Amino acid sequence: MANMNDYLDWRGDLTIDRDGFNDIDNVILSWLATLDLSGGVQSSIADAAGGLLRARRVDEDEPLLGRLFSSKRFQNVKLLDFTELFDEGEQMQFAAFAADTGEEVFIAFRGTDNTLVGWKEDFNMAFMQSVPAQRESVKYVKKIAAMTDKPLMIGGHSKGGNLAVYSACHCPEDIQKRVSRVYNNDGPGLSEEIMESGEYKAVSDRIRTFLPQSSIVGILLYHTEDYRVVRSTAIGPLQHHPSSWQVMGNSFVFEGELRKGSRYMDKTLKKWLESMSVDERRVMVDAIYDVMAAAEIKTFHDLIANWRASGGAIIKAAAGLPPEKRQVLKRVLGELVSAGIENVHPPRDE
């Protein structure tokens, strides 16, 4: 089976002006947003990939970067801007870049990184109308729109997909009219309130959402737009990485629906969230973050690499939570288990 690396082997010699921008180009640029492109501004995407290879900081992505570097397809795609912000106090993790593809400009938002701050910001979406990275995404679209008069495409992977949709909904109407496509690559949806808004409905017909067969991240929160299910060669949560997404020519290989486990997870999480008030969601998320912070865990690498020591520190930190937080955390986790059991064995009257 073929993936986006094979796509660059097949199509890398065809420039975008000869063979137009497509869904695979979108996911390649969206994934590139995970990397530090600060040294490549004003160069082409291909040259920026070469700079990252020479810096030897991206072992996992070397196959893709090597193909981008040698690709004619991205030799004329100019990197216009790269912005990266991190604020632990504001609980914000944000990065984005803009690339001129010729006819249009593609804005790519970074997904969640390895830091607990980044994941905390994601969880905050369960109870906040907007999080700092979402508000920053709107500012970024305005910034890029002021730099060019070309049509805009907006995309991202994981949280970056959520930011793409959020920014398209909330940018000014004159900019919104310039947006030709919005790509959400296995990113969370939005709140029901935003989904029902006129701003969302104004761009909903331009949103393209792609989820792998066993999506976990992409089923979070709510989607009203149609989504396409992409075949993946990975197992379970590893399908989130787009290197496992299968392609044929200049298109993904699609499946008819999400796998049973993903549909079960979707129903369980939505039922669980609906069982909690907004305040309870806030207490739960803050309690989990407080426990991790008290255990001096900064990244998920810290958690996994030292899991024995981390486990003991987490248990000790949890015992030190205020009684009201412990009570809420215990109850909502119990409701998660109940929601899972009920979705396996639904009540007889359903």
Side-chain angles (χ1 to χ4, degrees), residues 5 10 14 26 60 87 95 113-114 121 168 180 185 188 237 247 299:
N5 290 330
W10 296 336
L14 297 177
N26 138 66
E60 181 184 358
D87 191 320
D113 63 13
N114 189 40
E121 187 175 37
S180 63
N185 302 292
V247 304
T299 69

Side-chain angles (χ1 to χ4, degrees), residues 12 25 39 44 86 107-108 130 141 167 169 200 228 234 237 248 268:
D25 297 319
S44 72
F86 184 86
I107 298 172
S130 65
V141 169
S167 62
C169 294
Y200 175 81
R228 303 293 302 275
M248 179 62 70
T268 297

Side-chain angles (χ1 to χ4, degrees), residues 272 276 280 283-284 287-288 318 321-338:
W272 180 50
M276 287 184 279
E280 286 174 327
V283 170
M284 177 196 66
I288 294 172
L321 285 173
E324 62 275 11
K325 281 193 176 182
R326 285 204 312 271
Q327 184 178 2
V328 170
L329 192 58
K330 181 179 179 180
R331 186 175 70 78
V332 298
L333 292 178
E335 287 174 350
L336 174 60
V337 174
S338 298

Side-chain angles (χ1 to χ4, degrees), residues 34-303:
T34 64
L35 305 177
D36 181 3
L37 298 174
S38 56
V41 176
Q42 299 304 315
S43 65
S44 72
I45 289 292
D47 289 340
L52 289 170
L53 284 172
R54 289 188 292 273
R56 303 294 298 175
R57 298 195 306 268
V58 286
D59 291 347
E60 181 184 358
D61 296 295
E62 280 190 16
L64 176 64
L65 291 173
R67 287 170 170 83
L68 278 174
F69 176 59
S70 60
S71 165
K72 289 184 181 178
R73 189 163 185 80
F74 291 93
Q75 281 288 354
N76 296 322
V77 177
K78 184 179 179 182
L79 183 62
L80 300 178
D81 180 83
F82 175 79
T83 297
E84 185 173 26
L85 302 170
F86 184 86
D87 191 320
E88 188 169 2
E90 290 291 323
Q91 295 177 356
M92 178 179 69
Q93 170 253 317
F94 175 86
F97 74 82
D100 188 340
T101 69
E103 294 291 329
E104 299 175 283
V105 169
F106 188 88
I107 298 172
F109 291 110
R110 179 182 292 177
T112 309
D113 63 13
N114 189 40
T115 65
L116 288 181
V117 169
W119 284 96
K120 174 62 161 60
E121 187 175 37
D122 286 0
F123 294 146
N124 286 347
M125 292 180 188
F127 61 84
M128 295 178 68
Q129 287 296 317
S130 65
V131 298
Q134 289 175 327
R135 297 190 290 273
E136 198 63 42
S137 71
V138 179
K139 295 179 185 177
Y140 191 78
V141 169
K142 291 179 181 178
K143 171 185 174 182
I144 300 304
M147 293 172 60
T148 178
D149 59 1
K150 293 183 178 182
L152 305 173
M153 298 179 286
I154 311 176
H157 172 258
S158 192
K159 183 179 77 173
N162 171 280
L163 299 183
V165 178
Y166 184 93
S167 62
C169 294
H170 291 86
C171 63
E173 185 178 357
D174 61 323
I175 298 175
Q176 199 175 65
K177 290 178 179 178
R178 294 169 54 190
V179 176
S180 63
R181 280 165 282 179
V182 183
Y183 290 100
N184 184 352
N185 302 292
D186 202 26
L190 298 168
S191 68
E192 289 181 290
E193 290 80 7
I194 293 177
M195 291 293 190
E196 294 170 358
S197 69
E199 292 85 355
Y200 175 81
K201 293 175 182 176
V203 297
S204 61
D205 62 334
R206 286 168 272 172
I207 299 173
R208 300 185 184 185
T209 298
F210 301 113
L211 307 179
Q213 298 156 277
S214 297
S215 175
I216 294 176
V217 177
I219 62 172
L220 298 175
L221 298 178
Y222 297 91
H223 294 275
T224 60
E225 74 281 3
D226 292 333
Y227 58 79
R228 303 293 302 275
V229 179
V230 180
R231 182 181 300 172
S232 169
T233 55
I235 298 173
L238 297 178
Q239 292 189 8
H240 186 54
H241 198 302
S243 64
S244 73
W245 297 7
Q246 297 303 284
V247 304
M248 179 62 70
N250 62 355
S251 177
F252 290 118
V253 177
F254 294 109
E255 296 289 338
E257 63 179 358
L258 294 170
R259 286 182 176 164
K260 184 177 180 180
S262 185
R263 299 197 305 271
Y264 164 79
M265 182 71 74
D266 182 29
K267 291 179 182 178
T268 297
L269 290 176
K270 284 184 171 59
K271 187 176 184 64
W272 180 50
L273 286 173
E274 288 166 2
S275 73
M276 287 184 279
S277 68
V278 172
D279 285 341
E280 286 174 327
R281 294 179 192 183
R282 180 184 293 107
V283 170
M284 177 196 66
V285 170
D286 287 346
I288 294 172
Y289 184 74
D290 289 348
V291 166
M292 295 292 188
E296 298 184 349
I297 297 170
K298 296 291 185 181
T299 69
F300 276 92
H301 177 76
D302 295 340
L303 179 63

